[in-house]
Amino acid sequence: VREPDLAGRHVVVSAGGTREPLDPVRFLGNRSSGKQGYALARTAAARGARVTLIAANTGLPDPAGVDVVRVGTAVQLREAVLKATPDADAVVMAAAVADFRPAAYATGKIKKKDGQEPEPIVLVRNPDILAEISADRPRPGQIVVGFAAETDDVLANGRAKLERKGCDLLVVNEVGERRTFGSEENEAVVLGADGSETAVPHGPKEALAETVWDLVTRRLP
Ligand code: C5P
């Protein structure tokens, strides 16, 4: 049995993927299952933390002993994160947040019209929640962790993203078949703002989650 090294700590984890509605029946979404975020929530609870899990469109059952807040869109996810983080020791943004949302929402279902081409979908930027909380920590000493899925130049792109976002740790996944989305397993490199680089070999999402909490625990004041 592991030491309860997160006892007395409050951690916030986001999981899943946002859905940005176009009309009452359609949305722009992504393939995130939420499994990595749920593994982070379960392992933190097992290590003694009070856990707030902000779940975006996941079909997974609520983990025992975890406060679950369900959200749909990036704007709702931001509201939930800002509400949960003022007293948080650590924030882990495992959710896949849509960078853009449709500029307009049609209150009725968008219909095809005979002989007419469809209207283009205009997008606007969503707020970057990770960059926002990294720049403006709701609590001094709070540790902020981001995730990044990259397809090429994984380490160089990860390092640039870590700096751009201003977080303490960035978990970089190489995206490919068999890996990451919807899978039970993951493989990643965790980059630290202090220059550290921790490779996590291919294995269960729980193992990556434990490594993230090890790295967070070491950085907590
Ligand atoms: O920029 P990119 O989407 O690759 O960054 C991924 C990381 O940033 C994830 O931790 C994700 O939760 C977070 N993110 C965010 N708000 C956005 C987009 C991404 O917090 N609008």
Side-chain angles (χ1 to χ4, degrees), residues 14 93-99 126-130 145-148 161 165:
S14 73
M93 288 289 298
V97 184
D99 293 317
N126 268 329
D128 189 323
I129 307 158
L130 177 62
V145 185
F147 272 69
K161 186 165 288 183
K165 301 266 188 181

Side-chain angles (χ1 to χ4, degrees), residues 129-190:
I129 307 158
L130 177 62
E132 184 179 345
I133 55 169
S134 297
D136 197 2
R137 312 262 166 141
R139 178 179 173 165
Q142 188 174 68
I143 304 300
V144 180
V145 185
F147 272 69
E150 302 286 345
T151 52
D152 50 286
D153 288 333
V154 176
L155 290 183
N157 285 329
R159 202 36 86 191
K161 186 165 288 183
L162 174 79
E163 269 156 41
R164 207 161 57 237
K165 301 266 188 181
C167 51
D168 300 290
L169 293 163
L170 188 75
V171 182
V172 189
N173 284 303
E174 188 168 352
V175 194
E177 329 88 75
R178 177 174 83 87
R179 290 205 189 107
T180 309
F181 292 110
S183 148
E184 300 299 333
E185 304 200 312
N186 215 341
E187 180 183 341
V189 179
V190 188

Side-chain angles (χ1 to χ4, degrees), residues 68-150:
V68 182
V69 181
R70 296 202 171 263
V71 297
T73 66
V75 168
Q76 290 167 357
L77 178 56
R78 176 177 176 275
E79 289 306 308
V81 167
L82 294 184
K83 193 167 168 223
T85 46
D87 73 344
D89 295 282
V91 186
V92 181
M93 288 289 298
V97 184
D99 293 317
F100 310 110
R101 67 175 180 276
Y105 173 73
T107 52
K109 187 179 168 193
I110 299 165
K111 296 219 165 64
K112 56 181 174 291
K113 297 189 189 93
D114 276 348
Q116 269 184 33
E117 289 303 311
E119 293 290 328
I121 297 171
V122 179
L123 301 176
V124 294
R125 276 189 105 101
N126 268 329
D128 189 323
I129 307 158
L130 177 62
E132 184 179 345
I133 55 169
S134 297
D136 197 2
R137 312 262 166 141
R139 178 179 173 165
Q142 188 174 68
I143 304 300
V144 180
V145 185
F147 272 69
E150 302 286 345

